[in-house]
């Protein structure tokens, strides 16, 4: 699909591949929904070097009807999340692929792309929530929060590896949000490990919550060789 399209109607993917080229193939607020019935794989694809913006993302599965967002080399997909939605399919792309989350609402991810997506995730406002049992996992090696939130929800009976251990999470001007948040919502100690926290600019926030009972404790380990870095006189507030 190419050309300049301004439609704001919902695009529903049931089977096959929808390939976007040219930068305006879909309206920037057109919601994209992967259907979860039929048992046939459905893919939203950007070829190498392509840039595209879509509206609210939702639906998807990795079982009955496998769903995939396929990002080619040096491609950039922006998801303009204007309403809350949950996507449960795969994200696939190498280290030079970029997924940008914009818009004021929260995108909840409940797929498992720990090994299929090693590119960059940029959160420009609103938030991205990682949750679920054996899912809610991202392999992104670079995560940047620009006045947005990354919500690591430990909601299962054991800790879930939501973010790969080597990831660098950069915070820019996240004050006024929860910033980088880890919430243990099951009654016990839950943890996750990332590689490096980089304070890039402005005032920033880390939030550690235990909301699943008196024994709920959230622990975030920074395991990289550099640990914490700071530029541009950036600051951080730790809440928990």
């Amino acid at each position: 699909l190419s050309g300049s399209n301004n439609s704001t109607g919902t695009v529903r993917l049931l089977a096959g591949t929808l390939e976007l080229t040219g930068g305006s193939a879909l309206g920037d607020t057109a919601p994209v929904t992967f259907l979860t019935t039929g048992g046939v794989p459905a893919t939203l694809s950007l070829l190498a070097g392509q840039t595209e913006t879509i509206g609210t993302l939702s639906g998807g599965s990795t079982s009955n009807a496998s769903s995939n967002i396929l990002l080619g080399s040096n491609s950039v997909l922006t998801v303009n999340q204007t309403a809350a939605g949950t996507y449960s399919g795969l994200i696939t792309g190498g280290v030079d692929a970029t997924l940008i989350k914009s818009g004021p609402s929260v995108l909840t991810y409940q797929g498992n792309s720990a090994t299929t997506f090693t590119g960059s995730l940029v959160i420009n406002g609103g938030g991205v929530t990682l949750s679920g049992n054996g899912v809610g996992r991202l392999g992104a090696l670079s995560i940047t929060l620009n006045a947005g939130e990354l919500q690591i929800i430990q909601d299962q009976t054991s800790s879930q590896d939501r973010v790969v251990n080597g990831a660098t999470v950069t915070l820019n001007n996240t004050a006024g949000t929860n910033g980088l948040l880890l919430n243990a919502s099951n009654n016990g100690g839950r943890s996750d490990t990332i590689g490096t926290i980089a304070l890039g600019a402005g005032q920033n926030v880390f939030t550690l919550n235990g909301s699943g009972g008196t024994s709920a404790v959230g622990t975030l380990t920074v395991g990289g060789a550099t640990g914490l870095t700071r530029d541009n006189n950036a600051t951080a507030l730790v809440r928990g």
Side-chain angles (χ1 to χ4, degrees), residues 45 55-56 82 85 92 119-120 129 137 150-151 164 177 183 222 228 236:
S45 173
T56 295
T82 58
T92 303
S120 298
T129 296
R137 302 180 65 196
L150 176 64
Q151 303 170 359
V164 292
T177 75
N183 184 51
V222 182
L228 178 68

Side-chain angles (χ1 to χ4, degrees), residues 62 87-90 109-114 131 134-138:
T62 55
Y87 174 64
S88 302
L90 287 174
Y109 182 60
Q110 292 188 338
N112 185 355
S113 296
S131 64
V135 294
R137 302 180 65 196
L138 277 178

Side-chain angles (χ1 to χ4, degrees), residues 46-67:
L46 267 67
L47 294 180
Q50 296 296 311
T51 299
E52 186 64 56
T53 298
I54 63 173
T56 295
L57 177 64
S58 62
S61 171
T62 55
S63 54
N64 180 48
S66 179
S67 310

Side-chain angles (χ1 to χ4, degrees), residues 19-24 45-53 70-78 92-98:
E19 188 175 278
L20 306 179
T21 62
S24 301
S45 173
L46 267 67
L47 294 180
Q50 296 296 311
T51 299
E52 186 64 56
T53 298
L70 177 61
L71 304 179
S73 176
N74 294 306
S75 66
V76 179
L77 177 65
T78 298
T92 303
V95 294
D96 51 3
T98 302

Side-chain angles (χ1 to χ4, degrees), residues 32-155:
V32 174
T33 299
F34 285 83
L35 303 185
T36 57
T37 59
V40 179
T43 299
L44 180 70
S45 173
L46 267 67
L47 294 180
Q50 296 296 311
T51 299
E52 186 64 56
T53 298
I54 63 173
T56 295
L57 177 64
S58 62
S61 171
T62 55
S63 54
N64 180 48
S66 179
S67 310
N68 189 17
I69 295 174
L70 177 61
L71 304 179
S73 176
N74 294 306
S75 66
V76 179
L77 177 65
T78 298
V79 178
N80 180 18
Q81 198 80 13
T82 58
T86 298
Y87 174 64
S88 302
L90 287 174
I91 303 170
T92 303
V95 294
D96 51 3
T98 302
L99 176 65
I100 299 175
K101 153 64 181 70
S102 66
S105 297
V106 173
L107 171 61
T108 298
Y109 182 60
Q110 292 188 338
N112 185 355
S113 296
T115 60
T116 61
F117 180 68
T118 55
S120 298
L121 170 66
V122 180
I123 304 172
N124 292 334
V128 171
T129 296
L130 307 177
S131 64
N133 183 18
V135 294
R137 302 180 65 196
L138 277 178
L141 294 174
S142 172
I143 301 174
T144 301
L145 281 59
N146 296 320
E149 297 183 9
L150 176 64
Q151 303 170 359
I152 301 171
I153 307 301
Q154 294 291 348
D155 53 354

Side-chain angles (χ1 to χ4, degrees), residues 203-230:
Q203 298 176 326
N204 296 284
V205 178
F206 310 132
T207 305
L208 303 175
N209 272 346
S211 63
T214 56
S215 297
V217 177
T219 302
L220 181 65
T221 299
V222 182
T226 54
L228 178 68
T229 66
R230 175 174 176 259

